[in-house]
Amino acid sequence: RSEVFLDKCVWSGSACMAMTGGSSDLTAQGAQWLQGAKEAVMQMTKGEKKDEDESYSPFQSLQKAAVLQECRCFNDREINPRKCISILTKILWLLAQGEKLTALETTEIFFGVTKLLMHKDQQLRRLLYLVLKELKPSPEEVIIVCATLTKDMNSKVDLNRANALRVLGAIIARTDPTMLAQIERHLKQALVDKNCFVAASALVSGIHLMHVNPEVVRRWVNEVQTALASDNPSVQYHALALLHQIKRQDRLAVSKVVASLTRTPLKSPLAHCLLIRFAKAMMEDGGSERDRALFDFLEASLRHRSDMVIYEAATAICSLTSVAQRELSPSITVLQLFLCSPKPACRFSAVRTLNKIAMAHPMAVTPCNMDMEGLINDSNRSIATLAITTLLKTGSESGVERLMKQITSFMSEIADDFKIVVVDAIRAMCLKFPQKHRLLMTFLANVLREEGGFQYKKAIVDTLLSIIARVPEAKEAGLSHLCEFIEDCEFTLLSTQILYLLGVEGPSTQEPSKYIRFIYNRVVLENATVRASAVSALAKFGISIAYLRPSITVLLQRCLYDNDDEVRDRAIFFVTLLTGIDSGATLAGKSAQSLLLEPLPVPLAALEASCREYLAAPTERPLSIDDVTIDAEMLAKMQKEATSKAAAASEDAGPAADAPAPAMAAPAEEADLLSRMPEFVHVGARFTSSKRVPLSEVGTEYEVVCTKHLYASHLILAFQLNNTLEDQLLSSVTVALDLAAVPGLALETHVPCASLPFGQPGTAYACLRRLEGVPVGTIPCTLKFVVKDVDPATGPTDDEPGYEDEYQLEELEVCAADFMKRVAVLDFRAAWESVGNGCEVVETFSLSYNSIRQAMEAVIDFLGMSPCENSAAAPDDVTKLTVLLSGVFLGGMQVFAIVNLRADSNRAVGMRLTVRSSDMTVSQFVASSVA
């Protein structure tokens, strides 16, 4: 419209100028008027384009009060269906946005909506059903709903009957499940109704009601089985789902249903897919004895006419635990055919499944590599990314160069999210083929210089750091690439991370001085945070390398007048430290090398707390880092934070990445912190730590897991606690130990868990003193605590005093393995001969195990020793095996053992155990531990 108006203005102006005969004044006025008209029209055009670009919502400024006011028209004598439909749509929009309605508002809307049910407009009625389901009426109003919708359930209009069934079932499931008995007759009749929509609606309602009133729904089993024979795909699918819900508690009944249906082909592809999932679940529950008939059913489903069923069967076979590579072949063949399908969904699903298989069975996916290479140029970038990552996992070492050439052109065409996936796959390939690290790191360095967001650049930097840590030959090249990157890095976090790595790894390289220029450039050119990191990195070079120390000191002295306080403070600290190294000066009882180049022996929070305490009450004795202690509350908080961070990192990294293990799975680190607690500072250095031993079953009221930490004269028991009862709060939680059966141990102190709320893990400790010898035996354990009843909705109250209670735990076994540290030796034969046979003990045993591998793993656990020279790596079907074991017994005594295993029968393994050490008593004790 604006363009037409502009043309008219131009024509009118030209005509006026022509009529005036071209007078100069009139011509000037006409030109000015024409120019103003053009500018106005252009402004209008820009405004129209701007409005078109902006997203528009008809409910943009909708207010709840205005909508409630409009709801009064529901009570009019003459109902306007179009107006009511508009108001009902606004109500649904408000509810979808999270708007909360009070009980009074809900009641007013509810009664207004029920009056609209008298109207015969079908569009209005369908919207009313949806509003009734979303309103969540109160239990008192459910009676009215039942009475109103029961009429619709008897209607001659099938659409109304089906919608009434679904709405009424959903409302009863949410509010008052006891009302189900009133409409049970209608639901049972609808299950076998001739109309497929009515029958499917009744089945869906049954699935929802099964969770709240299973006793009533289980009585419908005959009607559900009748519906299962329906020719309609939707009815058959929902009938199978409901039948499984009814019988899922009875494993035998489920197996009979699955077995009977596998012999009778289902007409519905959806139901067939559901049956495949049930069959796979039964095979997983069967353990090692897999049902061959069910596996044959899965293989037969690979030849189904529906692509959906074929893919479901292939995925089920590939996801089976301990599936053999030969069993994967039919599924791989089917997925390979899908790779050439014209349907993008088939190609995507196939390459995605092959990508998962490649993590566990890369050789099985190798035949598909040629087809996947054709998908690199697929128009769907998700398919192309998955194809590349799969090829990186399954490709051979000889094909790395060709694959990287294809990826180079591909990387510029995809988004950062896809690039991150490719970078992660390149990291896995580099760790798989370390000889190709130069090619892969060069590729990563090139893409690091290209445009990209923070997450993408961080993924590349993390990959380079991982390669540097895992491939020693790649350290020099990796550090050089990172130095080039920080010259033009716009992300402060990545710059500081790289500078820290340069400070740690740079001094140990062949030419450490070449990194000084890159680091000092950051002091000159970057922001305060990066400058501070660069100062610390320079100081580490000066501390580690004596001949560079004077030059580093000069560079740091130039930072003494920096504008930022942090940079100045670090420069002053490090200059003082470097100038005092030659004179042997120490800080907090530590030398400069151990203070900066070694990790702190205590958490930073504990060090800060000790410094505050010392400043509040200073003494003549200077503060030493050896005086820093940590309390149980701080230790529990740190463990919780480390566990949550490790879980988040594992989730983000995915199953293929090397995710860090949770903090609770590292008893050695926990024990090092335990010796800093005030109650345990006297125990000395830790000797070894045991595996986690569960003292209660998972899912019980209180879950308890124990870790044993052995010291020179003490045994500290760390009990990880978890309260699974939502309505209880535990306090003063301890584990009582009955040491009568183990006379060599005495209880020294308890450290209780102060509070144990629902779902929040806690820790309690017990310190045992070793009186004499090496005490072994079983210790009865009892969990004792003060319990307070808690309302989950309101939380705990201070008025509740609580009462004492206890919970019986399983016995804790103190065995010989707890006193042995796993230490392997490089040359076992030489170490064995050096000990001699003066204190040698030979014992023979008959062990009740199904295989030699099971017996070997059990013996290693009994002895608590470490296998040497890869002697524990043996195939499952081996009949004879010799395992070489080494360890250090309490007190620092080296112990060696040779275990000869022989399969005597299917359930018996013969063993000859030979133990050597420098003390006959120790040799006899270790040899007798297996018995």
Side-chain angles (χ1 to χ4, degrees):
R1 292 192 304 268
S2 57
E3 292 175 357
V4 173
F5 177 67
L6 179 61
D7 292 338
K8 290 182 178 179
C9 291
V10 173
W11 181 85
S12 301
S14 302
C16 291
M17 292 171 64
M19 291 172 61
T20 56
S23 173
S24 60
D25 294 338
L26 292 175
T27 302
Q29 292 178 5
Q32 292 179 1
W33 177 85
L34 186 60
Q35 182 65 27
K38 285 183 179 181
E39 292 178 357
V41 172
M42 293 302 296
Q43 291 293 332
M44 292 170 57
T45 306
K46 290 181 180 179
E48 288 178 0
K49 291 182 178 179
K50 184 179 180 181
D51 292 340
E52 290 175 1
D53 294 338
E54 292 179 354
S55 59
Y56 173 71
S57 172
F59 310 121
Q60 191 74 38
S61 57
L62 192 63
Q63 299 294 326
K64 183 177 73 170
V67 176
L68 294 176
Q69 188 73 19
E70 293 179 4
C71 289
R72 296 183 178 180
C73 72
F74 295 163
N75 301 317
D76 294 346
R77 287 187 177 183
E78 296 293 332
I79 300 295
N80 185 348
R82 302 281 75 80
K83 183 178 180 182
C84 294
I85 288 173
S86 176
I87 297 172
L88 293 174
T89 306
K90 293 177 182 179
I91 294 174
L92 290 173
W93 188 86
L94 288 173
L95 294 175
Q97 298 302 311
E99 193 75 43
K100 300 297 183 182
L101 298 177
T102 64
L104 181 60
E105 292 169 348
T106 303
T107 302
E108 291 179 355
I109 296 175
F110 172 75
F111 282 108
V113 167
T114 53
K115 293 179 181 180
L116 295 179
L117 286 170
M118 304 298 294
H119 204 279
K120 295 183 179 181
D121 187 89
Q122 289 299 319
Q123 187 177 358
L124 176 61
R125 181 173 288 271
R126 293 174 65 183
L127 203 58
L128 288 173
Y129 290 131
L130 192 57
V131 172
L132 283 174
K133 189 168 65 171
E134 294 296 328
L135 274 180
K136 301 178 183 177
S138 63
E140 295 79 9
E141 297 166 348
V142 173
I143 301 174
I144 303 174
V145 174
C146 287
T148 305
L149 295 181
T150 301
K151 297 179 181 179
D152 284 353
M153 286 192 291
N154 296 322
S155 173
K156 295 181 180 180
V157 182
D158 293 331
L159 184 63
N160 293 350
R161 292 169 58 204
N163 284 326
L165 287 169
R166 295 178 72 117
V167 173
L168 194 53
I171 292 175
I172 290 177
R174 280 202 307 258
T175 54
D176 189 5
T178 59
M179 297 287 294
L180 178 58
Q182 299 183 15
I183 64 168
E184 181 184 4
R185 178 175 59 87
H186 300 283
L187 286 170
K188 291 180 70 173
Q189 290 176 355
L191 290 173
V192 293
D193 196 274
K194 294 180 180 179
N195 185 277
C196 58
F197 186 37
V198 175
S201 299
L203 290 166
V204 171
S205 298
I207 293 173
H208 291 304
L209 292 168
M210 184 67 193
H211 300 292
V212 295
N213 200 339
E215 294 80 9
V216 175
V217 180
R218 287 194 181 100
R219 298 201 293 257
W220 308 346
V221 63
N222 293 331
E223 287 79 5
V224 174
Q225 288 177 339
T226 303
L228 187 59
S230 172
D231 294 335
N232 184 269
S234 179
V235 174
Q236 196 175 50
Y237 167 70
H238 290 107
L240 180 58
L242 180 55
L243 186 62
H244 181 265
Q245 288 281 335
I246 292 173
K247 297 190 175 184
R248 65 177 179 177
Q249 302 296 337
D250 188 352
R251 189 174 182 277
L252 181 60
V254 173
S255 63
K256 287 182 179 180
V257 171
V258 173
S260 63
L261 292 176
T262 53
R263 293 190 294 268
T264 306
L266 295 171
K267 297 181 181 180
S268 169
L270 289 170
H272 200 129
C273 291
L274 199 58
L275 182 61
I276 289 173
R277 297 189 180 187
F278 296 156
K280 175 185 175 292
M282 288 190 59
M283 294 174 69
E284 296 287 0
D285 293 341
S288 58
E289 298 179 1
R290 188 180 295 163
D291 192 339
R292 188 63 200 177
L294 294 179
F295 190 82
D296 292 340
F297 165 70
L298 295 181
E299 284 192 330
S301 300
L302 295 173
R303 298 182 289 275
H304 198 274
R305 63 179 180 273
S306 172
D307 290 342
M308 179 171 55
V309 175
I310 295 173
Y311 174 70
E312 189 69 36
T315 307
I317 294 175
C318 296
S319 59
L320 286 172
T321 56
S322 65
V323 62
Q325 188 165 332
R326 59 180 178 80
E327 295 175 329
L328 287 173
S329 299
S331 302
I332 299 295
T333 304
V334 169
L335 294 173
Q336 188 174 5
L337 295 175
F338 273 25
L339 293 176
C340 305
S341 173
K343 302 176 183 177
C346 291
R347 298 198 304 273
F348 175 79
S349 58
V351 73
R352 184 169 179 265
T353 304
L354 290 172
N355 188 283
K356 292 181 179 179
I357 300 172
M359 298 177 187
H361 303 279
M363 297 304 297
V365 187
T366 304
C368 305
N369 284 0
M370 293 300 295
D371 296 294
M372 282 188 288
E373 285 186 12
L375 296 178
I376 292 179
N377 298 320
D378 196 286
S379 58
N380 189 312
R381 297 289 86 185
S382 298
I383 296 175
T385 305
L386 285 171
I388 284 179
T389 54
T390 308
L391 287 170
L392 289 172
K393 295 173 185 175
T394 60
S396 61
E397 189 171 1
S398 59
V400 173
E401 290 85 352
R402 177 170 53 85
L403 191 58
M404 297 311 295
K405 288 180 181 178
Q406 291 177 300
I407 296 177
T408 302
S409 59
F410 169 80
M411 291 290 282
S412 59
E413 302 173 2
I414 59 176
D416 283 0
D417 293 340
F418 294 135
K419 291 180 182 178
I420 293 172
V421 176
V422 175
V423 169
D424 291 339
I426 291 175
R427 172 173 57 183
M429 172 172 269
C430 189
L431 298 180
K432 181 180 178 182
F433 304 122
Q435 296 83 2
K436 298 292 182 181
H437 71 271
R438 292 187 182 277
L439 174 65
L440 297 174
M441 292 185 74
T442 302
F443 170 80
L444 292 173
N446 291 334
V447 297
L448 191 58
R449 298 188 188 98
E450 298 176 358
E451 294 295 327
F454 170 73
Q455 294 298 335
Y456 172 49
K457 295 296 181 74
K458 185 177 185 301
I460 300 176
V461 171
D462 290 343
T463 300
L464 289 172
L465 296 182
S466 178
I467 295 173
I468 292 172
R470 300 284 291 275
V471 184
E473 299 84 3
K475 184 168 75 171
E476 296 270 355
L479 292 178
S480 299
H481 290 314
L482 293 174
C483 285
E484 295 291 339
F485 170 64
I486 62 174
E487 286 291 310
D488 191 24
C489 178
E490 57 182 324
F491 303 110
T492 300
L493 179 63
L494 297 183
S495 296
T496 55
Q497 186 179 7
I498 294 171
L499 287 170
Y500 173 79
L501 179 71
L502 290 173
V504 173
E505 300 291 345
S508 61
T509 57
Q510 294 181 355
E511 297 182 38
S513 58
K514 69 179 181 180
Y515 302 109
I516 302 298
R517 175 176 64 86
F518 295 101
I519 298 175
Y520 188 70
N521 283 347
R522 310 279 65 77
V523 176
V524 178
L525 303 173
E526 294 288 352
N527 57 49
T529 304
V530 179
R531 294 202 304 272
S533 298
V535 167
S536 299
L538 285 174
K540 291 178 181 178
F541 277 83
I543 291 172
S544 302
I545 306 170
Y547 73 88
L548 290 178
R549 194 171 300 148
S551 302
I552 298 295
T553 304
V554 172
L555 295 178
L556 291 178
Q557 286 174 345
R558 297 179 182 178
C559 305
L560 296 177
Y561 303 100
D562 194 275
N563 295 329
D564 186 74
D565 295 341
E566 177 70 20
V567 179
R568 287 199 308 273
D569 292 345
R570 290 195 185 195
I572 294 170
F573 173 74
F574 288 128
V575 167
T576 306
L577 203 62
L578 290 176
T579 53
I581 286 180
D582 296 332
S583 60
T586 61
L587 183 64
K590 297 286 183 180
S591 64
Q593 288 84 353
S594 61
L595 190 64
L596 290 182
L597 304 181
E598 298 176 4
L600 284 175
V602 294
L604 195 60
L607 180 60
E608 181 183 0
S610 297
C611 290
R612 292 182 183 278
E613 292 176 1
Y614 186 83
L615 291 175
T619 61
E620 296 182 358
R621 182 172 176 269
L623 177 65
S624 173
I625 202 167
D626 296 328
D627 300 331
V628 178
T629 60
I630 179 172
D631 56 16
E633 184 179 353
M634 183 182 296
L635 179 59
K637 182 180 179 181
M638 291 175 54
Q639 289 174 346
K640 183 178 178 181
E641 291 177 354
T643 303
S644 60
K645 287 181 181 179
S650 176
E651 216 172 276
D652 295 338
D658 299 328
M664 298 294 284
E669 297 180 6
E670 178 186 342
D672 292 338
L673 294 178
L674 282 178
S675 61
R676 292 284 182 173
M677 293 176 60
E679 296 86 354
F680 305 139
V681 291
H682 62 286
V683 299
R686 179 183 61 89
F687 179 71
T688 186
S689 297
S690 72
K691 296 181 179 179
R692 292 160 51 108
V693 181
L695 300 183
S696 64
E697 296 182 0
V698 177
T700 54
E701 295 94 329
Y702 313 111
E703 298 174 349
V704 181
V705 179
C706 177
T707 305
K708 294 168 280 187
H709 305 289
L710 184 67
Y711 297 81
S713 302
H714 294 80
L715 180 66
I716 295 180
L717 306 178
F719 300 97
Q720 282 86 38
L721 313 171
N722 185 28
N723 175 20
T724 63
L725 298 180
E726 191 174 2
D727 57 350
Q728 287 189 359
L729 171 65
L730 308 185
S731 59
S732 303
V733 186
T734 59
V735 178
L737 307 172
D738 184 2
L739 301 175
V742 190
L745 292 175
L747 179 63
E748 190 169 274
T749 182
H750 267 303
V751 179
C753 177
S755 177
L756 190 65
F758 164 72
Q760 299 183 16
T763 308
Y765 302 95
C767 182
L768 308 179
R769 186 173 68 256
R770 188 166 55 87
L771 301 178
E772 57 182 359
V774 183
V776 295
T778 56
I779 303 175
C781 302
T782 305
L783 187 68
K784 294 189 175 182
F785 47 84
V786 176
V787 60
K788 297 180 180 179
D789 294 329
V790 176
D791 185 356
T794 60
T797 58
D798 297 335
D799 300 335
E800 178 68 29
Y803 55 92
E804 294 184 357
D805 200 357
E806 61 183 39
Y807 182 79
Q808 193 65 37
L809 302 174
E810 296 181 9
E811 294 182 341
L812 176 65
E813 182 180 6
V814 180
C815 56
D818 297 330
F819 299 90
M820 185 76 70
K821 181 190 294 186
R822 296 174 182 259
V823 179
V825 293
L826 296 177
D827 191 348
F828 180 86
R829 297 296 177 183
W832 177 267
E833 295 298 333
S834 65
V835 174
N837 59 0
C839 299
E840 181 179 281
V841 176
V842 181
E843 296 284 353
T844 58
F845 302 91
S846 180
L847 308 177
S848 300
Y849 291 99
N850 296 331
S851 65
I852 285 184
R853 174 170 288 279
Q854 292 181 5
M856 174 197 69
E857 293 173 353
V859 170
I860 292 175
D861 286 339
F862 288 148
L863 299 176
M865 304 174 73
S866 177
C868 301
E869 299 180 4
N870 203 26
S871 58
D876 295 333
D877 55 351
V878 68
T879 58
K880 291 184 179 180
L881 182 64
T882 299
V883 185
L884 311 177
L885 302 176
S886 171
V888 177
F889 196 72
L890 180 64
M893 186 178 300
Q894 192 80 39
V895 181
F896 303 97
I898 298 179
V899 182
N900 301 105
L901 299 172
R902 182 187 70 255
D904 292 339
S905 64
N906 292 335
R907 295 187 176 274
V909 176
M911 182 182 73
R912 183 176 184 269
L913 176 63
T914 307
V915 181
R916 286 187 182 183
S917 70
S918 57
D919 190 330
M920 179 59 74
T921 305
V922 173
S923 299
Q924 292 175 346
F925 175 78
V926 173
S928 62
S929 63
V930 179

